[in-house]
């Protein structure tokens, strides 16, 4: 079968696009292995209208359930290649499957930035993590550090302070840049120490991570002893599909879209964190907005084509 829309990614933008598409009676398939996408990593989501206090995992599950109920197909597969052949998109996945679609919406989000320290990969899963929500429970009553100073880092440190004995927050800036509500909450925690104007410059430990070397001494010590470190220093989009499909990107590699979420390539739209839309405000509310707009644009595009 040839779907009306192949939706690449399984985050908020994808489900929103699917929900709108299904209500326009456009057949659609969502590709992605992580139900809910990045928001599934959020310990709590408190800014999504109508659902004042929900875990990221629950929110993702609700999005998926609604999409499926309306008729979306879901393939728990990663898309490895997309080719446009005689006006039809051929979508290939890591399960060696091939799907066909008239249009594509890319909702691939972003990927976590690394510190780029020499032994970073060596300690991954051995005391080093990029997802506090996923791994926090391994650090009950232990000492951990979070690296970063924006929302993700502040929220992670706050969550970890409920579980760990001691939390260091290490940030190179002069003040934390998270949402003031989250920063205030963190400041009130007795087991949190904030180390500003400092960078980790080395990771050390015998078989697993044991200490972080700091760019300048803290309380007279060059090292902080830890059982775990959580790197929360932002993320950036993957260049795979822009390169493969000839999509225009901005200077930070975000896919350029117009106000209908269309890319420069006919038949391909993009929505959510991977785009340069919504004034760079990368949140669930903006991702679902862009996903809805993309589906609406495709509805108009396919209606016009069928009338032509
Ligand atoms: C810790 C944390 C807490 C956050 N808390 C909040 C919050 O409280 N409120 C809020 O509004 N926002 C929050 N955010 C931001 C929010 O998660 C994102 O803005 C939102 O998830 C973006 O949705 P998206 O659909 O564009 O992309 P994503 O949610 O990133 O989903 C993209 C998905 O596509 C998948 N994918 C990528 N490439 C492929 C491929 N080739 N094939 C198949 N699948 C692919 C990825 O694995 C990913 O699962 C938080 C983010 C983090 C990290």
């Amino acid at each position: 079968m040839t779907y009306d829309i192949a939706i690449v990614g399984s985050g908020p933008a994808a489900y929103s696009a699917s929900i709108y598409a299904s209500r326009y009676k456009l057949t659609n398939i969502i590709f992605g292995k992580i139900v809910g996408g990045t928001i599934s990593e959020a310990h709590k989501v408190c800014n999504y209208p109508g659902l004042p206090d929900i875990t990221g995992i629950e929110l993702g599950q609700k999005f998926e359930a609604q999409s499926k109920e309306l008729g979306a197909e879901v393939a728990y597969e990663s898309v490895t290649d997309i080719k446009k052949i005689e006006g039809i998109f051929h979508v290939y996945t890591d399960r060696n499957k091939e799907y066909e679609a008239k249009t594509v919406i890319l909702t691939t989000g972003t990927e976590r930035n690394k510190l780029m320290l020499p032994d970073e990969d060596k300690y991954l899963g051995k005391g080093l993590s990029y997802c506090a929500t996923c791994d926090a429970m391994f650090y009950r009553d232990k000492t951990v550090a979070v690296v970063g100073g924006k929302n993700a880092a502040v929220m992670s440190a706050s969550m970890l302070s409920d579980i760990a004995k001691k939390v260091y927050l290490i940030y190179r800036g002069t003040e934390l840049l998270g949402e003031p509500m989250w920063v205030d909450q963190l400041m009130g925690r007795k087991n949190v120490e904030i180390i500003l104007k400092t960078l980790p410059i080395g990771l050390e430990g015998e078989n697993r991570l044991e200490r972080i070397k700091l760019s300048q001494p803290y309380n007279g010590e060059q090292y902080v002893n830890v059982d775990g470190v959580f790197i929360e220093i932002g993320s950036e989009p993957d260049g795979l599909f822009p390169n493969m499909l000839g999509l225009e990107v901005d200077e930070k590699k975000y896919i350029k879209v117009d106000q209908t979420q269309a890319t420069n390539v006919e038949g391909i739209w993009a929505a959510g964190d991977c785009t340069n839309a919504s004034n760079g405000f990368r949140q669930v509310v903006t991702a679902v907005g862009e996903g809805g707009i993309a589906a609406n644009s495709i509805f108009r595009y396919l209606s016009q084509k069928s009338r032509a």
Side-chain angles (χ1 to χ4, degrees):
M1 106 173 237
T2 303
Y3 294 93
D4 290 315
I5 315 178
I7 302 171
V8 185
S10 53
Y15 299 117
S16 168
S18 167
I19 288 164
Y20 275 85
S22 295
R23 292 183 58 85
Y24 288 126
K25 299 214 175 301
L26 300 176
T27 55
N28 61 91
I29 178 163
I30 298 170
F31 295 95
K33 290 188 175 170
I34 303 166
V35 174
T38 306
I39 199 60
S40 63
E41 295 174 19
H43 174 52
K44 285 269 180 207
V45 181
C46 305
N47 52 11
Y48 192 72
L51 298 166
D53 186 14
I54 187 165
T55 68
I57 290 177
E58 274 179 291
L59 184 59
Q61 287 168 342
K62 279 182 186 287
F63 286 155
E64 191 198 54
Q66 190 177 354
S67 306
K68 280 181 161 175
E69 214 171 281
L70 287 168
E73 272 192 50
V74 177
Y76 300 101
E77 299 166 32
S78 282
V79 174
T80 51
D81 197 2
I82 301 174
K83 286 196 171 77
K84 193 176 184 183
I85 303 167
E86 291 170 8
I88 295 292
F89 291 95
H90 294 248
V91 176
Y92 305 89
T93 73
D94 60 350
R95 298 259 161 88
N96 290 325
K97 290 197 184 165
E98 181 181 344
Y99 301 82
E100 287 183 17
K102 293 176 195 166
T103 63
V104 169
I105 306 178
L106 296 172
T107 65
T108 46
T110 55
E111 280 183 2
R112 294 305 183 86
N113 287 333
K114 293 185 169 185
L115 276 175
M116 306 305 278
L117 293 176
D119 283 332
E120 203 165 327
D121 289 343
K122 173 174 144 190
Y123 293 113
L124 185 60
K126 292 178 182 157
L128 186 142
S129 167
Y130 297 93
C131 178
T133 310
C134 319
D135 297 332
M137 70 275 197
F138 300 123
Y139 295 90
R140 186 162 296 285
D141 298 325
K142 308 255 185 197
T143 298
V144 297
V146 176
V147 180
K150 297 185 183 162
N151 257 342
V154 171
M155 287 167 73
S156 298
S158 181
M159 177 192 57
L160 279 158
S161 70
D162 286 334
I163 298 166
K165 181 175 69 187
K166 173 99 193 166
V167 180
Y168 293 100
L169 180 58
I170 303 170
Y171 183 46
R172 63 182 176 173
T174 51
E175 59 177 329
L176 298 178
L177 299 177
E179 237 177 78
M181 291 266 282
W182 288 111
V183 174
D184 287 352
Q185 199 189 77
L186 186 72
M187 299 288 201
R189 303 288 171 108
K190 289 200 172 68
N191 60 344
V192 175
E193 269 185 58
I194 298 168
I195 308 178
L196 294 172
K197 293 189 269 182
T198 305
L199 276 170
I201 55 167
L203 304 169
E204 294 183 11
E206 197 69 14
N207 295 315
R208 54 176 291 124
L209 184 64
E210 289 168 15
R211 58 196 163 271
I212 303 172
K213 189 173 186 187
L214 302 175
S215 57
Q216 59 171 340
Y218 174 68
N219 286 345
E221 300 288 337
Q222 193 75 52
Y223 288 90
V224 176
N225 292 328
V226 290
D227 300 294
V229 61
F230 293 85
I231 317 267
E232 298 283 356
I233 54 168
S235 47
E236 60 178 47
D238 183 356
L240 176 74
F241 293 114
N243 288 340
M244 200 178 261
L245 298 161
L247 304 179
E248 278 177 16
V249 294
D250 71 8
E251 64 290 348
K252 289 185 177 160
K253 297 199 290 186
Y254 291 98
I255 300 171
K256 280 191 184 177
V257 289
D258 66 14
Q259 60 180 2
T260 72
Q261 300 298 136
T263 69
N264 58 307
V265 174
E266 186 179 348
I268 304 181
W269 282 256
D273 280 12
C274 64
T275 77
N276 70 340
S278 297
N279 204 23
F281 187 50
R282 296 188 175 87
Q283 289 283 287
V284 176
V285 285
T286 48
V288 298
E290 292 180 29
I293 293 169
N296 172 267
S297 306
I298 293 177
F299 172 63
R300 294 177 192 211
Y301 171 81
L302 292 177
S303 307
Q304 226 167 36
K305 271 197 123 180
S306 67
R307 279 199 300 270

